[in-house]
Amino acid sequence: MSANDYNDDGWQPVTRLGRMVQEGEIDTMDAALNSGLPLKEPELVDQLLPGLEDEVLDINMVQRMTDSGRRVKFRCVVAVGDRDGFIGYAEGRDDQVGSAIQKAIGIAKLNMIKVPRGSGSWEDRSDRPHSLTRRTTGKAGSVEVEVIPAPEGLGLAASDTVRAVLELAGIENAWTKSHGNTRTTVNLAKATFNALENASQSRQPRRNRESEREVADQ
């Protein structure tokens, strides 16, 4: 989808990153995330990842007492991903379910991360990026989720919520362990996303970095 298509829809970038995407200086999500500039416009994510999918993981009604009485809102938990390494997660609240879902989708796009995929299991000999490169753990509330690389063909040994998040991120094979109050969907989903985020932020072992540097110098 071209920048002109978004101009026709009325998108006028207001951030530096948005303008760079519209002008073609940045044309991949990788480059956008590595630019060091914050994602503040969902439209630029739509442009860089046109095949993005979203999935509603949980809808819950929340109540709050105010001076004018009891207010009821809906809280929606949403994950978005391209099933090829990019995943975002968010919660949205609004008086209407539809509005809460759209709000959560928009925020999730701004929380986009890239998951380092590979074949990190010692049992695996595949060169295809179908799992994680290493074990990772994430926590939210009382829930802790551990995701462990698995060999190709195993599939996802995970609950429905954890499976949905991993699939949107493009993880096809993995073992998972969950601890805590896993019946709380919002914490289970967030802990899974946090595990993937921790994997994306983990540093490479020193030995691997030195090997890459030696190859680059040759």
Side-chain angles (χ1 to χ4, degrees), residues 169-186:
I171 304 300
E172 302 171 26
N173 301 280
W175 286 291
T176 64
K177 296 179 182 179
S178 303
H179 310 281
N181 186 12
T182 55
R183 289 178 295 179
T184 308
T185 304
V186 58

Side-chain angles (χ1 to χ4, degrees), residues 94-114:
D94 203 277
D95 297 335
Q96 303 295 323
V97 174
S99 299
I101 292 174
Q102 291 305 314
K103 186 178 293 185
I105 291 174
I107 299 172
K109 291 176 181 178
L110 303 183
N111 293 333
M112 194 67 61
I113 61 172
K114 182 179 181 181

Side-chain angles (χ1 to χ4, degrees), residues 12 23 32 68 156 176 199-200:
Q12 293 296 330
E23 293 167 5
S68 58
L156 292 173
T176 64
S200 71

